[in-house]
Amino acid sequence: NNNGHVGLINLPSARFYSEGSYGFTIYRGNPDRKVTLTLMPYSWLEGSVFYTSITGKSYSVFKQNYKDKGMNVKFRIKEEGDYPALAIGLNDIGGTGIYSSEYIVSSYGVGSIDFTIGIGWGSYASDDYHLDNPLRHISSSFLNRNDLQNNGGELSIDDFFSGPGASLFGGISYAYNNEFLIKAEYDKSEYSFDKGFSKP
């Protein structure tokens, strides 16, 4: 997808390519433009690194757009069988936190249609999130998420799956034939571009 995941348009799915696959994605949006290299070293693991340029904010002392980089990872929890496939993922690990998010996602195919539904934290959960964070029942520490962006290179493990709320997302992919897919999704993502960036 636009973010280098096997998935829908902007959102991930619980699908994986076969072991040894790789992909290169070029995305041009507003305000961000991104290149992503995605690798599938195992059939249950998808990893990607990205480099992005975001318009509307200068980068350091140079007269160019703001730059950011980070890593994403997705793990297969369960393959599809009688029940849907299940995966868990983390986005923008060690980055500045603009795209920082975590998710649990499920996919199930019926004929030529593939259904995906998931729950997301971080940038997947906008300010008008759907649910109070369900992990608050495990520990109240899951209610606190550091909203501040950092300079990158920091692994904020304490923020994983945290925040006051979480949002549902989902979509469908229809294989019209072997060369043509039609996709639709419901995306609650809200990236923190407004913190010094132009509004998307």
Side-chain angles (χ1 to χ4, degrees), residues 85-125:
L86 189 64
I88 188 169
L90 308 166
N91 292 333
D92 201 7
I93 303 169
T96 59
I98 292 176
Y99 302 97
S100 177
S101 52
E102 305 81 40
Y103 59 90
I104 300 171
V105 64
S106 178
S107 296
Y108 191 74
V110 179
S112 298
I113 301 177
D114 200 45
F115 297 92
T116 293
I117 187 167
I119 181 171
W121 292 260
S123 63
Y124 284 140

Side-chain angles (χ1 to χ4, degrees), residues 39-126:
L39 303 171
M40 287 68 161
Y42 304 102
S43 61
W44 50 268
L45 174 64
E46 172 191 293
S48 58
V49 292
F50 67 84
Y51 189 78
T52 187
S53 174
I54 305 172
T55 61
K57 182 179 179 180
S58 62
Y59 180 64
S60 187
V61 296
F62 303 106
K63 292 184 178 179
Q64 50 181 296
N65 295 327
Y66 185 82
K67 302 296 189 287
D68 192 21
K69 58 186 179 299
M71 299 181 297
N72 309 317
V73 65
K74 182 171 73 173
F75 301 94
R76 173 185 283 140
I77 304 300
K78 178 191 172 300
E79 289 192 68
E80 181 178 336
D82 292 335
Y83 297 99
L86 189 64
I88 188 169
L90 308 166
N91 292 333
D92 201 7
I93 303 169
T96 59
I98 292 176
Y99 302 97
S100 177
S101 52
E102 305 81 40
Y103 59 90
I104 300 171
V105 64
S106 178
S107 296
Y108 191 74
V110 179
S112 298
I113 301 177
D114 200 45
F115 297 92
T116 293
I117 187 167
I119 181 171
W121 292 260
S123 63
Y124 284 140
S126 65

